[in-house]
């Protein structure tokens, strides 16, 4: 599962980021393995995501977010 | 232990590294470029000492996969040609986001240089109830750690102590972490958090509340447009008239001085060749300063990132991303600060593309020329009844032509020369904060210095060259007439090329003089025709089709020495400005040719 598949308000944990063009940049934004992510909102028909990463907000294209693999926390 | 002579300041972008650098050095700094690349080289002397501080490029990690990071790594290793080996390193990171920077901290410490870790924004960390136990962290890292606030200037004495070598050597020398490798961030963060050495600061409630509006699907773009309109109002209502008044004042001063000097060649060179150039550059300044101000305010307050997010979708269609939006928008006022503003774009490829298309935007210097030429050559006929006259339609069309050419060029660049995966876009949304006067003032001062020292000199030299071309050969002690100058000879030479556009020799010569200042097209034409009403004279000569072709040429050609100079400075080579100049001239020529053919065939 990747970051762009999350719905608004859902939380998950980053497992890893696919190596690629944006790899380094995404790491620098805090998208490291173990980071907690939450979708704050979607913009432009889900093409842009506002994501809370370990408490600070970032914005990224859904295309870019697809490189971030996540595992969703199970809520009872 | 002796003092360190050369000290490197390293850290990621946007953590207050430049502010700290300015604090440490005062304004005694040198800015140049590393040989052959566009990365800036800043160095300065530490206040009250002979120690040199190097401001390394902002990096997120030490993996050498970008130009900046490559240079930072080779400086740390002491292999960068022309740069002294570092004796010590100051590593500055954002203390409110410590968990993000542990990887970088470990990478830098693994370089085995005496290093002090500076956690900046201590004031914000405390204000948001965050906590870092610097001693525990220092023990863990094996390097001294201190909390500072570069913006407020607190905690800086610890840096002085460190740089004077007042710590024991054992405390300063870093311990190699886990077999020399950068330790993973996760374990460290958790360990730190569990041991109570680090508590993440609370989120800024204010930022979240504001973002609910600023990033709203409907209200967001609306607010963005209002912010932009306000900025443009300031520039066009205040800065532009101020610049005009300043130019007039300086020109009058030139005229008065000229009256006092003997009427000879020296006077002509001094007043017409040089002083007028100075006057036009100084007249430029209020506008440029104002744009710098707006750009820095947007950057420092944190709104820039939101605007980039909002504009990203539109920019994405032509292969650019949201970060190019504000620079391109400011190019509507003037391309020079816009091109300097592209420094905020992290990707070299996107930055170059933005630089290359910025001059197509209809800048304020084109406006008076358009107005003059349209008033002179385009008849005031109604086009769509009473609502839209031919003149107004022409003005709108010229704006549209510039924009379309920019988009077209971006698209071409994206699919050819600057091809790349490039579809990615991710940006941090920093907390909003009141812009700090000191930070903003220093940034403006810095950019203005660059403009005056590097751009203005090129403009002056080019202007002088064109003035000489327009006035050689001299007749005794008098400067020659434009009509019989070398420039006129060049005009004769290019005339065959202008014929297909419906233009003549007089227009050709005036286009050449327009390099100095676009306004001079009209005055040169007046000189050449020797009549006051050049509109009538020219309309008889080149007709409406020729006049429209001329306007289209103006909209697309890069007739601005200032822009050429600033592109050279920002790309650190003559290659790009020359290529850009050639491309825009070819495009302008083809555009004018097509326009001429179409208008001729349609109507006249």
């Amino acid at each position: 599962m990747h970051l762009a598949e999350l719905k608004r308000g859902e939380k998950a944990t980053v497992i890893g980021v696919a190596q690629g063009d944006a790899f380094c940049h995404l790491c620098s934004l805090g998208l490291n393995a173990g980071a907690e992510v939450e979708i704050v909102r979607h913009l432009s028909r889900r093409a842009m995501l506002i994501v809370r990463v370990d408490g600070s907000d970032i914005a990224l294209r859904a295309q870019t977010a697809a490189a971030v693999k996540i595992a969703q926390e199970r809520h009872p | 232990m002796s003092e360190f002579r050369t000290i490197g300041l390293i850290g990621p972008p946007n953590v207050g590294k430049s502010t700290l650098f300015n604090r440490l050095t005062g304004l005694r700094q040198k800015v140049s470029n590393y040989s052959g690349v566009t990365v800036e080289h800043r160095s300065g002397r530490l206040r009250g000492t002979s120690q040199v501080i190097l401001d390394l490029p902002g990096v997120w990690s030490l993996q050498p996969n970008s130009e900046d990071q490559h240079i930072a790594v080779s400086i740390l290793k002491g292999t960068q040609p022309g740069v002294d080996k570092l004796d010590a390193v100051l590593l500055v990171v954002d203390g409110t986001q410590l968990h993000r920077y542990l990887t970088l901290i470990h990478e830098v410490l693994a370089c085995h240089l005496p290093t002090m870790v500076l956690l900046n924004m201590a004031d914000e960390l405390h204000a948001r109830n965050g906590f870092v136990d610097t001693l525990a962290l220092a023990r863990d890292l094996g390097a001294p750690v201190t909390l500072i606030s570069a913006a407020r200037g607190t905690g800086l004495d610890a840096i002085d102590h460190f740089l004077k070598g007042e710590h024991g050597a054992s405390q300063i020398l870093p311990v190699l972490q886990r077999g020399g490798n950068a330790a993973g961030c996760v374990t460290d963060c958790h360990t730190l958090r569990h041991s109570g050495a680090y508590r993440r600061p609370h989120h800024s409630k204010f930022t979240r509340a504001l973002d609910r509006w600023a990033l709203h699907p409907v209200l967001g773009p609306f607010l963005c447009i209002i912010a932009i309109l306000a900025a443009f109002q300031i520039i066009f209502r205040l800065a532009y008239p101020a610049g005009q008044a300043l130019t007039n004042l300086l020109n009058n001063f030139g005229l008065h001085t000229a009256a006092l000097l003997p009427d000879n060649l020296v006077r002509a060179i001094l007043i017409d060749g040089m002083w007028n150039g100075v006057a036009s550059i100084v007249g430029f300044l209020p506008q440029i300063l104002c744009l710098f101000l707006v750009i820095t305010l947007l950057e420092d307050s944190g709104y820039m990132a939101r605007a980039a997010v909002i504009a990203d979708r539109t920019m994405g269609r032509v292969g650019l991303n949201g970060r190019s939006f504000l620079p391109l928008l400011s190019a509507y006022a003037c391309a020079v600060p816009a091109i300097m503003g592209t420094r905020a774009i992290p990707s070299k490829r996107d930055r170059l593309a933005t630089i290359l298309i910025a001059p197509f935007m209809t800048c304020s210097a084109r406006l008076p020329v358009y107005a003059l030429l349209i008033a002179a050559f385009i008849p005031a006929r109604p086009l769509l009844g009473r609502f839209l006259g031919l003149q107004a339609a022409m003005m709108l069309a010229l704006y549209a032509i510039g924009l379309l050419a920019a988009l077209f060029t971006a698209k071409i660049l994206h699919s050819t020369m600057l091809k790349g995966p490039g579809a990615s876009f991710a940006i941090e949304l920093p907390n909003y904060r009141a812009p700090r006067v000191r930070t903003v003032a220093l940034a403006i001062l810095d950019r203005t210095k660059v403009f005056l020292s590097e751009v203005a000199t090129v403009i002056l030299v080019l202007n002088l060259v064109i003035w000489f071309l327009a006035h050689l050969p001299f007749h005794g002690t008098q400067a020659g007439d434009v009509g019989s100058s070398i420039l006129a000879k060049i005009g004769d030479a290019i005339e065959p090329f202008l014929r297909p556009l419906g233009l003549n020799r007089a227009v050709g010569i005036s286009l050449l003089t327009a390099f100095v200042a676009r306004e001079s097209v009209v005055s040169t034409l007046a000189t050449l025709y020797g009549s006051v009403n050049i509109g009538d004279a020219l309309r008889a000569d080149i007709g409406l089709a020729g006049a429209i072709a001329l306007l289209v040429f103006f909209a697309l050609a890069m007739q601005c020495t200032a822009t050429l100079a600033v592109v050279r400075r920002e790309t650190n080579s003559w290659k790009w400005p020359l290529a850009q100049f050639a491309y825009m001239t070819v495009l302008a020529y083809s555009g004018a040719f097509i326009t001429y053919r179409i208008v001729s065939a349609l109507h006249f």
Side-chain angles (χ1 to χ4, degrees):
Chain A
M1 190 174 183
H2 60 73
L3 185 55
E5 291 172 329
L6 272 187
K7 291 194 188 70
R8 181 176 173 170
E10 284 183 331
K11 289 183 184 171
T13 308
V14 175
I15 302 173
V17 179
Q19 287 277 353
D21 189 41
F23 173 69
C24 206
H25 187 51
L26 292 179
C27 287
S28 70
L29 290 172
L31 288 168
N32 296 305
E36 294 160 22
V37 287
E38 178 192 345
I39 303 287
V40 181
R41 69 172 71 83
H42 294 278
L43 287 180
S44 4
R45 295 198 205 106
R46 296 181 70 97
M48 178 74 70
L49 316 176
I50 312 290
V51 184
R52 191 154 297 164
V53 185
D54 278 337
S56 39
D57 289 1
I58 65 167
L60 72 174
R61 284 187 189 165
Q63 257 172 305
T64 313
V68 182
K69 305 295 164 213
I70 51 164
Q72 212 167 346
E73 285 154 22
R74 305 203 183 283
H75 293 289
Chain B
M1 179 146 187
S2 63
E3 282 191 349
F4 305 118
R5 273 185 301 116
T6 314
I7 300 137
L9 180 63
I10 191 167
N14 304 322
V15 295
K17 191 160 69 80
S18 319
T19 316
L20 178 64
F21 182 69
N22 289 331
R23 278 267 180 209
L24 292 174
T25 59
L27 286 171
R28 293 162 301 157
Q29 14 178 299
K30 275 190 298 186
V31 184
S32 59
N33 276 37
Y34 290 102
S35 55
V37 292
T38 56
V39 183
E40 259 186 14
H41 176 305
R42 282 169 180 277
S43 64
R45 286 190 188 284
L46 188 69
R47 275 170 200 268
T49 66
S50 60
Q51 292 166 301
V52 176
I53 299 198
L54 284 180
D55 189 8
L56 272 65
V59 292
W60 287 106
S61 99
L62 290 189
Q63 282 149 25
N65 50 9
S66 81
E67 214 172 36
D68 288 4
Q69 292 177 6
H70 192 78
I71 284 181
V73 172
S74 61
I75 293 175
L76 278 175
K77 289 192 176 144
T79 54
Q80 176 72 20
V83 177
D84 288 341
K85 247 178 149 51
L86 298 181
D87 298 316
V89 174
L90 293 173
L91 169 61
V92 54
V93 298
D94 179 353
T96 64
Q97 312 247 350
L98 181 62
H99 49 283
R100 272 194 208 175
Y101 302 112
L102 282 165
T103 318
L104 177 68
I105 293 176
H106 285 303
E107 281 177 333
V108 172
L109 290 182
C111 290
H112 295 289
L113 285 162
T115 303
M116 181 176 227
V117 181
L118 310 172
L119 308 178
N120 195 13
M121 311 200 187
D123 46 339
E124 210 184 308
L125 181 75
H126 291 310
R128 282 162 54 198
N129 205 16
F131 171 75
V132 178
D133 181 347
T134 47
L135 280 179
L137 188 60
R139 230 181 358 256
D140 197 53
L141 296 172
V145 177
T146 188
L147 280 163
I148 61 162
S149 167
R152 288 176 199 277
T154 53
L156 302 185
D157 26 338
I159 302 177
D160 284 344
H161 294 314
F162 169 71
L163 292 181
K164 290 200 180 99
E166 285 176 9
H167 283 261
S170 60
Q171 256 180 294
I172 294 163
L173 285 175
V175 180
L176 196 60
Q177 296 290 309
R178 297 178 198 177
N181 257 329
C185 168
V186 199
T187 50
D188 264 41
C189 276
H190 282 300
T191 327
L192 281 175
R193 232 180 280 174
H194 284 302
S195 66
Y198 173 56
R199 187 172 66 232
R200 223 164 56 193
H202 291 311
H203 329 300
S204 157
K205 289 206 176 67
F206 174 69
T207 294
R208 299 234 160 128
L210 212 54
D211 269 347
R212 211 161 300 194
W213 299 94
L215 292 174
H216 189 275
V218 183
L219 279 174
F222 190 66
L223 287 174
C224 187
I225 289 170
I226 289 181
I228 288 158
L229 286 180
F232 270 74
Q233 281 292 319
I234 296 171
I235 290 162
F236 283 116
R237 295 267 162 130
L238 287 174
Y240 189 67
Q244 296 278 313
L246 209 56
T247 313
N248 286 340
L249 198 72
L250 290 171
N251 280 339
N252 283 337
F253 175 76
L255 285 178
H256 286 298
T257 318
L260 299 176
L261 295 172
D263 183 14
N264 60 18
L265 208 56
V266 179
R267 184 182 89 173
I269 295 174
L270 275 178
I271 303 297
D272 298 337
M274 292 170 81
W275 182 253
N276 286 349
V278 173
S280 70
I281 291 169
V282 175
F284 224 32
L285 265 182
Q287 246 196 102
I288 292 194
L289 285 178
C290 197
L291 256 184
F292 282 160
L293 178 72
V294 169
I295 294 174
T296 351
L297 281 180
L298 288 173
E299 269 172 7
D300 205 49
S301 65
Y303 188 71
M304 190 76 116
R306 277 77 181 181
V309 170
I310 290 168
D312 183 66
R313 197 170 152 83
T314 321
M315 304 300 292
R317 295 208 176 115
V318 287
L320 291 168
N321 70 45
R323 290 180 210 257
S324 307
F325 176 64
L326 269 168
L328 284 180
L329 203 69
S330 22
Y332 271 112
C334 177
V336 172
I339 287 169
M340 285 187 179
T342 58
R343 288 181 201 172
I345 303 173
S347 143
K348 295 265 137 140
R349 208 171 47 86
D350 290 345
R351 183 171 171 214
L352 194 56
T354 313
I355 290 177
L356 292 179
I357 65 171
F360 279 117
M361 301 305 185
T362 307
C363 67
S364 59
R366 279 190 179 105
L367 220 51
V369 187
Y370 285 175
L372 266 169
L373 290 179
I374 287 177
F377 310 133
I378 310 291
R381 275 181 217 163
L383 191 69
L384 285 175
R386 281 185 299 137
F387 299 108
L388 190 65
L390 192 58
Q391 290 186 336
M394 192 65 217
M395 189 67 115
L396 283 177
L398 289 172
Y399 265 88
I401 287 171
L403 184 66
L404 286 178
L407 297 180
F408 170 74
T409 309
K411 198 98 184 147
I412 290 194
L413 282 173
H414 183 60
S415 51
T416 56
M417 267 156 56
L418 300 174
K419 202 170 180 169
S424 88
F425 172 76
I427 194 170
E428 185 183 356
L429 300 172
N431 283 325
Y432 290 107
R433 60 170 185 209
R436 294 189 166 120
V437 179
R438 198 190 153 88
T439 315
V440 173
L442 278 172
I444 293 176
L445 197 68
D446 183 56
R447 289 181 188 194
T448 311
K449 247 164 67 184
V450 168
F451 175 73
L452 285 180
S453 65
E454 297 189 42
V455 179
T457 43
V458 178
I459 299 175
L460 276 185
V461 170
L462 285 178
N463 283 8
L464 207 56
V465 168
I466 290 175
W467 184 86
F468 269 105
L469 287 179
H471 293 278
L472 282 172
F474 297 135
H475 305 300
T477 59
Q478 293 295 319
D481 188 44
V482 179
S484 56
S485 64
I486 296 181
L487 204 65
K489 300 242 160 51
I490 304 176
D492 289 335
I494 61 170
E495 197 196 347
F497 299 101
L498 292 176
R499 281 275 162 230
L501 310 184
L503 306 177
N504 59 15
R505 172 173 172 269
V507 176
I509 298 172
S510 62
L511 280 178
L512 292 173
T513 59
F515 277 108
V516 184
R518 289 189 171 105
E519 308 77 88
S520 58
V521 159
V522 180
S523 60
T524 313
L525 280 174
T527 316
L528 289 171
Y529 274 109
S531 76
V532 186
N533 199 340
I534 42 169
D536 291 340
L538 204 65
R539 212 164 332 160
D541 244 15
I542 62 175
L544 183 61
I548 295 180
L550 177 63
L551 279 166
V552 169
F553 187 88
F554 246 109
L556 297 176
M558 188 179 187
Q559 293 214 303
C560 178
T561 46
T563 310
L564 276 173
V566 79
V567 172
R568 192 213 70 83
R569 141 86 203 177
E570 293 298 313
T571 58
N572 198 23
S573 83
W574 277 107
K575 186 180 86 180
W576 288 109
L578 290 179
Q580 187 177 20
F581 177 73
Y583 168 74
M584 289 180 72
T585 308
V586 168
L587 196 69
Y589 187 88
S590 335
F593 177 75
I594 294 168
T595 311
Y596 179 66
R597 291 291 139 188
I598 292 177
V599 178
S600 310
L602 271 182
H603 219 299
F604 309 94

